[in-house]
Structure formats: structure tokens, C-alpha cells
Amino acid sequence: MAILEAAGLRKVYRGGDGSSIEVLAGVDLAVQRGEFVAIVGASGAGKSTLLQLLGALDAPTAGTIALAGELYADQTPERLAVLRNRKLGFVFQFHHLLREFNALENVMMPLLIAGTAPAAARSRAEELLAVVGLAGRMTHRPAALSGGEQQRVAVARALVADPLVLLADEPSGNLDYHNSELLHDLFATLARQLETALVVVTHNRLLAGRADRILAMEHGRLLAHPGVEAMP
Amino acid sequence: MHPSLLASSFRVGVQSLRLNPLRTVLSTLGVVIGVASLVAVLAVGDGAESFAREQIATTTDLQTLLVVPNTGQTIDGIRIPRATYPVFTLADVDSLARALGPRATVSATVTGGARVTLPGRARAAAVMAVTSGAEERLRPRFAAGRFFTAAEVRSAERVAVASPALATAAHLSVGDTLRLEGHAFRVVGILAPAARRVAPLGMAALVPFTVADSAMAPPASPRAPQIMVRAARVETVDTLRRLAERWAATRLGPGWKDEASIETSSPARLVQARQGIRVFKMVMGAFAGISLVVGGLGIMNVLLAAVTERTREIGIRKAAGARQRDIMIQFLAESVAITGAGSVLGVVLGLGGAFAITAVIRSASEAPIYAAATWQTVAVAAVVSIVVGLAFGTFPALRAARLSPIDAIRHE
């Protein structure tokens, strides 16, 4: 059974002048537990929109999404927040760390929201920061970290509550080769170790090459992709 | 909501304040300035009002009502003494005081003269027998000792307060014996030479109302004590007059107007004084209102800007699973901390400012005006700060928390 399932997803954005643009025109997707899916496609094809809908960060115009059998449309905003907190992890392209908080506090944040005792949240966050290779940078604020380190903190934050699905939107888009590879290794290892399903939107051939399955977003629909060899 | 979740959201709020000291200090400063300006205006206004009231109370008789027995009547322009008239007693003073309540001080006075026994030659002194409530009216200043107490009046103690002239002539100190009409009176107080409100100021003694007969030479007809009512505020004089008239009707019967008169300053002067106070209060009220709006807007702007710029942060928290109420509690905690600390500092600063302003006014005008720190001022400032602070510290957060996480994150 698929852990994450989307059917007939549509998303239409409306402009202030009454015009509208259909970004997703009926997307179907099923992701299995522990599966690593890469979504590729041209800029503006709707990849990020799809990921945001899957992450319950925005609502679709039509269609359904279910996580572990729970339909998003059936959830109250409260329940949806709990779902984001406990079952989903999201890595943004621009990390979106809270700049006043240090690395450790940023990673602890989802656990504190969940009501975990601070001591337990701290030890879990320290553990994950060590896994992403930032044991020595825990007390540093985002501004004092490199781009790659910031992104690794964001990965640790997304994984800290042991989600069923990790969604990442061009996580290595702003990183150099070395840092990208570090991050890709991290994704592959963590997904395998934690049995977390991974849906990654990427332009990076190396990252897509590590996926179990590559899908292409074209004209608002998801299609099977022939493989990294066909990527530009 | 589970207490640990509440505590957690609250902790996040407090942590957020700690981690952004500049924003916290600036927001708190906005509240401090708003509250301080409001408190300063209110405290200076209250001080100026009590100065004005003090002036009316000490330099005019506007707040005084006299209940005077009619010892004579004027017919065809000729004053004819009355054979009988009411003689007010201590019991009358008490019952009128009860009828008027806490809005007034009631005292009784009877005046006369006494021979004073001094070695060598005979002297005389004016004697004023009063109840202890007269101290409030006379406001005597003492060179030594004190005024006599209510208990001493009630138990008819032979005690006396001597004028400076009498004290000098009789070489009196506190504790000495003064002989009036041959009766020994223990001196409990000697007035200071500047006690100018006590009349007469020559050779004079004040004694308890209840020992008038032994302190004064016997009169040709029964003494006719007057009852004096001192209103706490000039606005209550009319009410007190009505209550005193009702009391007189009960005490003296329906025809009381033949027996006694109730005298006040001319109604025109009373109206004038009341008008002055009302205008003053309205002007100060307008100042306070302006300061309230300016202070409130200051607090509102600072918090509105501080919270609105954090819409992206709210989006990130929502993406990580924060619910609307988690966001609300976090910002509520922040607002409570900021408005609480800002209010306390603002009250202190505002009162300090008010005392400084009145010190400058005093030195420039020599008018004894002091800022008044009342609990009402503090309460008004606290309520304004808390209501405005909580409303504008949490309303923009609520608005942001209602956005979808992605819209909030995209907010510029």
C-alpha cells in the first residue's frame, strides 16, 4: 500500500485581473514506504506546487491526497498541522531556518511544537545534527553557517520527528558540487536507515540518479521519465 | 490544550524575545514611551487639580456651610432677640456628621471670653471651644504639642491649645497649667506664630467643646454654638446643603427655618468655582485623551510592525506543524512580556517625569504643586497598555496564522 497517494490533483492560480493559470492539470502519484522518488522538469512546470500540496502547505483546487490512508481534505486545520508536525518533513530550496535561533534550536522546533520535553527534544536534535555532520556547529546561528550547512540543518529539522515522508524542493539547487554530494549521500542514507519515503524535486542529475524512480512534470502532469541519461 | 503544549508555546515565545534583543528592546521601548506619556499627563493633571482644590479650600469659604441658631429676628429693620433658640450639642454634631457621610467634616464652635490668671496682673483671652473636627477646618500649625483628640472632647478633659501671644504672656510650655476663669487647663499644644488661619490671633485659647462652660465667663443668655460643615469638594456643597436642611427639619421640626439658618457662600461664587473646576477637568481630560491616543497608537505601531515582519517566521512554524493556537500563544506570551515590562517601566518613567515637571513648575512659580501618583492613573495606563498591547501584538499574528503556510512563508 502506498504511504502517500495523490489522485487527480489540480491547482489553478488566479491573478488579480481575473486571469487564471492551471499549474497542475490532474496529477496522480503513489509513493511506497521507504521509496525515493525524484521529480524533474523545466522551471515553472509545477514541481514545487505539487510538493507544497503533498506537504499540506497549500490546498489543491481539485483532487485528493492521502498520507497513510488519511485524506487531507477530511482533516481540520488543527489535524493537518499535527500531520505536518508528526508525519511529514519538508526541506525548502532556501532552507527557511529561523535566523534568531541557532542550529540546535531550529532542529528542536518541531519537537517543541509537538510538546516534547525540552531535554528529550534537545538530545534528539543533537543526535540528528551529529548525523548530518554538524556536531560542532550546533550553537551557531544560520548566518554563521555555509549554504551547505544551512541546508543540512534544514534536513535535520525535517527528519527530527521521524516523518513517514520527506519532501525536498531542489535541496541542492544552491549548493556547489561537493556540498551537493554530501547532501545527496545524506538523503540516500537517511531514507534507507529511517525507512522514510523521499520525494525530491531536483534539476540535479546526480541526485535524480540515486532515486528509485524518476518522474517528469510536463504541462501540469506527471509522466514516467526515461532516466538520468535523458536529463539535460 | 495539554499543559505541556501550552508551556511549550509559551516557552517558544519567551525564547523568541530573548533571541532577538533588539526587536524586544524596541517594542518594549514603544510601550514604555506610550505608557510614560500617559502617566505623566495624568499625574501632572491630578497634581494641578489638587493644587486648585487646595487653593479653593484654604483661601475661600466656598466649601463651608454654617448651621447657625437664630438668636434674634429682624422685624421692620430692627433686630429683636429671641427668648429661645436651639442650643446645639455634641450629639447634634455627631448626628449631622452621620447624615452627611464621608463627604464632609462637621465641627461645632462656641466663642467667649475668659479671665486668665497670671501672676501680677489680670489678663483676658478669647476662648474658642471646638470639637476635634475643627482641626481639619482650622489646619493649625504647632510650635509645640498637638490638637486635642476626639476622646478628650468626648470625656470633657480640661485641656487647651494656646495662641503664641497667650503662651508668651503666661510663659506657657506644653504640659503647663493655664487658668481660665479660675479653672485649671493642661496645655497640650502651642500654636506656631504663622498659624494665621486661627482667629483671633491675640490672646486666645482653644478648648474642647464640652468644657466651654468652665473655660468662659458666664454669658447673659445661653451660649449658641454654631455647627460648621466643611465639604470635601466644592462640587458637593449643594448636596450637603440639601442634606443639612433635611437634618434640620428632623432635628428642629417643619418650622426649622425660624429656629436656625444654613449659610453658605453666595451661589454665584459657588457656580463660578464649580465652572472653573469643570473647565479645568475637561481641559486635563482632553490632554489625557490625546496622550492616550498618541500612546496607544505608539504601542500599536511598534507591535504591528514587529509582528507583521514575522509573517514568514509564522509560515515556517506552521510548515513545521505549529497550529493556529500555538502561534497565538507564542505571540500572546511575547505581548504579555513586552506590555508587562513596558508598562512597569513606563509607569516609573512617567511618574518620574511628572515629578520632574512639577518640580520645574514649583521653582518657576513658587506654587506648591506636586504630581499625584494615584492608583487610578496606574490602572488607566496598565489597562490601555495591556488592551492595546495584546490586541495589536496578537491580531497580526492571528491574521498571519490564518494564511496557508506557503503564503505566509512567501510574505515579504
Side-chain angles (χ1 to χ4, degrees):
Chain A
M1 181 191 149
I3 191 77
L4 180 67
E5 215 164 357
L9 274 191
R10 286 184 65 232
K11 181 70 181 177
V12 177
Y13 287 112
R14 296 187 197 284
D17 58 355
S19 64
S20 63
I21 178 165
E22 190 177 48
V23 179
L24 299 181
V27 170
D28 299 311
L29 172 70
V31 181
Q32 306 303 314
R33 184 180 287 273
E35 188 185 13
F36 181 174
V37 176
I39 298 173
V40 298
S43 292
K47 305 184 298 293
S48 294
T49 300
L50 173 61
L51 215 59
Q52 286 156 9
L53 297 185
L54 295 176
L57 300 179
D58 204 356
T61 311
T64 58
I65 306 169
L67 177 66
E70 289 184 279
L71 272 173
Y72 288 7
D74 291 348
Q75 311 300 316
T76 61
E78 290 264 303
R79 286 288 311 155
L80 221 46
V82 173
L83 204 119
R84 278 196 296 270
N85 183 242
R86 312 262 165 93
K87 297 184 177 170
L88 287 166
F90 207 103
V91 179
F92 299 90
Q93 185 177 359
F94 300 103
H95 66 76
H96 287 324
L97 298 175
L98 295 178
R99 57 175 182 262
E100 294 94 350
F101 287 56
N102 64 29
L104 184 66
E105 289 158 342
N106 265 290
V107 177
M108 285 168 71
M109 195 239 300
L111 293 179
L112 292 179
I113 288 171
T116 308
R122 187 187 178 90
S123 94
R124 171 69 180 145
E126 284 173 347
E127 191 185 314
L128 263 175
L129 279 168
V131 171
V132 298
L134 292 174
R137 311 297 304 271
M138 290 188 195
T139 56
H140 290 231
R141 292 202 189 175
L145 300 173
S146 71
E149 287 169 334
Q150 288 172 347
Q151 204 57 301
R152 279 187 275 156
V153 175
V155 171
R157 181 180 64 186
L159 287 170
V160 74
D162 291 329
L164 295 174
V165 179
L166 178 68
L167 304 160
D169 189 359
E170 300 193 30
S172 52
N174 293 309
L175 302 181
D176 60 24
Y177 173 79
H178 174 70
N179 274 305
S180 297
E181 276 303 286
L182 264 176
L183 199 71
H184 299 162
D185 284 342
L186 197 63
F187 273 131
T189 315
L190 291 176
R192 222 148 280 143
Q193 277 177 358
L194 302 171
E195 282 210 331
T196 302
L198 207 58
V199 181
V200 180
V201 163
T202 186
H203 288 294
N204 190 301
R205 290 167 58 112
L206 294 170
L207 181 54
R210 292 171 185 249
D212 300 322
R213 189 150 57 107
I214 304 176
L215 298 169
M217 178 70 87
E218 275 177 41
H219 307 299
R221 291 175 192 280
L222 268 185
L223 309 168
H225 191 274
V228 282
E229 301 77 21
M231 285 179 73
Chain B
M1 181 180 222
H2 194 274
S4 72
L5 286 183
L6 185 77
S8 163
S9 300
F10 196 82
R11 207 165 31 233
V12 169
V14 173
Q15 189 184 24
S16 179
L17 289 179
R18 189 172 54 77
L19 292 177
N20 200 327
L22 184 65
R23 188 175 63 210
T24 304
V25 166
L26 286 179
S27 301
T28 310
L29 201 61
V31 178
V32 168
I33 291 169
V35 170
S37 63
L38 183 57
V39 166
V41 167
L42 290 177
V44 170
D46 285 347
E49 185 183 335
S50 37
F51 171 70
R53 287 188 182 282
E54 184 73 12
Q55 289 294 301
I56 292 172
T58 55
T59 60
T60 73
D61 286 328
L62 288 172
Q63 285 169 233
T64 305
L65 280 96
L66 278 178
V67 185
V68 186
N70 292 340
T71 54
Q73 59 188 136
T74 305
I75 304 168
D76 291 337
I78 298 164
R79 184 176 160 80
I80 311 289
R82 283 165 54 96
T84 59
Y85 44 82
V87 176
F88 294 127
T89 63
L90 202 57
D92 291 322
V93 172
D94 289 344
S95 83
L96 180 57
R98 273 196 303 278
L100 301 183
R103 288 164 290 203
T105 316
V106 182
S107 60
T109 308
V110 61
T111 52
R115 280 174 285 267
V116 182
T117 312
L118 291 180
R121 56 183 283 224
R123 297 289 303 263
V127 178
M128 209 172 165
V130 294
T131 57
S132 57
E135 185 178 11
E136 168 73 16
R137 171 168 58 89
L138 300 170
R139 299 175 186 227
R141 288 225 297 268
F142 288 91
R146 59 173 175 82
F147 207 75
F148 35 81
T149 63
E152 285 168 334
V153 174
R154 218 160 284 284
S155 58
E157 297 265 339
R158 285 188 180 166
V159 288
V161 171
S163 72
L166 176 59
T168 309
H171 305 290
L172 292 173
S173 308
V174 171
D176 287 353
T177 300
L178 169 67
R179 287 195 167 275
L180 298 170
E181 289 298 312
H183 296 115
F185 285 76
R186 182 164 51 88
V187 176
V188 294
I190 293 168
L191 297 175
R196 64 179 185 280
R197 282 189 51 76
V198 178
L201 252 190
M203 295 277 283
L206 293 162
V207 297
F209 184 76
T210 43
V211 296
D213 283 338
S214 52
M216 298 175 193
S221 53
R223 297 184 204 286
Q226 298 183 344
I227 298 180
M228 191 177 268
V229 176
R230 187 89 185 153
R233 297 162 76 90
V234 73
E235 291 93 328
T236 57
V237 171
D238 282 345
T239 310
L240 292 174
R241 187 190 176 100
R242 276 195 298 278
L243 290 171
E245 284 172 354
R246 201 178 303 161
W247 173 83
T250 312
R251 162 74 172 79
L252 304 169
W256 68 271
K257 283 188 178 166
D258 295 332
E259 305 282 322
S261 318
I262 294 177
E263 298 170 4
T264 53
S265 286
S266 79
R269 284 186 63 209
L270 266 174
V271 168
Q272 214 174 16
R274 273 200 298 265
Q275 233 169 22
I277 293 265
R278 200 176 309 137
V279 167
F280 179 84
K281 287 182 92 161
M282 287 174 80
V283 169
M284 286 320 294
F287 285 159
I290 292 167
S291 169
L292 197 86
V293 170
V294 171
L297 283 177
I299 296 171
M300 187 187 87
N301 273 338
V302 160
L303 293 178
L304 212 56
V307 178
T308 306
E309 75 164 24
R310 292 169 68 189
T311 303
R312 192 176 144 272
E313 174 192 330
I314 291 171
I316 294 170
R317 287 187 186 282
K318 283 199 76 175
R323 292 160 303 180
Q324 221 176 77
R325 60 183 170 182
D326 296 324
I327 305 284
M328 288 312 295
I329 291 164
Q330 177 197 336
F331 280 83
L332 202 63
E334 292 190 32
S335 300
V336 166
I338 284 175
T339 50
S343 299
V344 171
L345 287 173
V347 166
V348 171
L349 194 72
L351 288 179
F355 282 109
I357 290 166
T358 47
V360 171
I361 295 174
R362 273 200 305 280
S363 72
S365 68
E366 291 181 11
I369 177 168
Y370 294 88
T374 62
W375 68 265
Q376 288 98 329
T377 296
V378 175
V380 166
V383 166
V384 167
S385 148
I386 287 166
V387 169
V388 177
L390 294 193
F392 291 95
T394 52
F395 168 69
L398 178 67
R399 209 176 43 184
R402 281 188 180 144
L403 292 175
S404 77
I406 205 70
D407 284 341
I409 288 172
R410 284 192 196 128
H411 186 270
E412 289 298 328

